[in-house]
Amino acid sequence: MSTTSIPRQQFDSPPATGERTIRVLLIEDDDADHRRLRLALDKSTRNFLVERVATLREATQSLAANSPDVVVLDLGLPDGQGLENLHVVQPLAPEAPVVILTGMDDPGLTVEALNHGAQDVVSKDDLNDQLIVKSLTYAIQRKMSEVRLRQGLDE
C-alpha cells in the first residue's frame, strides 16, 4: 500500500498562481483509484494539493495535524467499511466537506450518505476531471454556507 504524506508546511503552501490552492485529503486504499483521481484533478485549471492516506487510522493522524479544504472518502477501506467511515471522519474535520468516492452504484446508499452529512457521492465509474472538480468545488461552497448558517443561528 502506498501512502503519500504532505508535511503541514507543504499542505499550507501558497499556490503557484493567484488562485487559492484547494487542499484535498484523499482517503483511498486502491492505487488505481488514487491515480485516476490525481489525473482528473491534474487536468483542471484549479490548483489542487492532494494528500493521500490508505486507512482510517492514517486519516485520523493526518486530520490531527492538517486542515484540508475537502475530504474525499472511500467507503471500502482495510480498517473500515460503509458509512461508518463517514462517521469516523466527520468529527475529526467538522468544517471540511466530505465527498464519498464509491465503486457501488446504489441510489439508496447515496441518499443515506447525504442524509448522514456527506456533501456529495461520486461513482468511481463516472469519475472524470469535470465531474470531480465540480463536486469538490460545490461541496466546499455548500459546507461554507452550512457553517455560516450554523454560526448565525448560534449567535
Side-chain angles (χ1 to χ4, degrees):
M1 246 176 270
S2 167
T3 301
T4 304
S5 294
I6 297 174
R8 186 162 187 86
Q9 66 272 17
Q10 186 176 357
F11 211 50
D12 292 336
S13 64
T17 66
E19 188 173 80
R20 185 178 168 285
T21 297
I22 297 174
R23 298 166 302 176
V24 179
L25 175 61
L26 172 62
I27 308 169
E28 171 62 70
D29 64 318
D30 186 272
D31 291 336
D33 290 332
H34 168 235
R35 279 191 301 277
R36 286 181 65 213
L37 180 79
R38 288 300 304 250
L39 287 172
L41 293 177
D42 286 348
K43 289 180 184 178
S44 170
T45 59
R46 301 288 310 255
N47 295 309
F48 290 95
L49 182 61
V50 177
E51 176 186 8
R52 185 250 185 134
V53 297
T55 66
L56 286 175
R57 183 175 159 269
E58 292 169 347
T60 299
Q61 294 168 344
S62 175
L63 290 168
N66 301 302
S67 300
D69 295 309
V70 62
V71 175
V72 179
L73 174 65
D74 183 18
L75 295 182
L77 298 170
D79 58 349
Q81 294 292 314
L83 290 178
E84 184 58 33
N85 293 358
L86 179 63
H87 298 153
V88 170
V89 169
Q90 284 177 316
L92 301 173
E95 293 193 9
V98 178
V99 173
I100 303 292
L101 189 61
T102 182
M104 297 179 274
D105 186 18
D106 181 353
L109 175 68
T110 298
V111 170
E112 194 172 354
L114 295 173
N115 285 337
H116 284 264
Q119 290 292 324
D120 202 358
V121 178
V122 176
S123 168
K124 291 178 182 181
D125 293 334
D126 298 332
L127 187 65
N128 65 57
D129 55 317
Q130 293 175 343
L131 175 65
I132 194 63
V133 170
K134 184 194 288 190
S135 176
L136 298 182
T137 304
Y138 289 0
I140 292 167
Q141 292 302 316
R142 282 190 303 271
K143 187 67 173 189
M144 286 175 22
S145 295
E146 178 185 303
V147 168
R148 279 194 301 267
L149 179 62
R150 189 176 310 122
Q151 288 171 344
L153 293 175
D154 290 341
E155 292 176 357

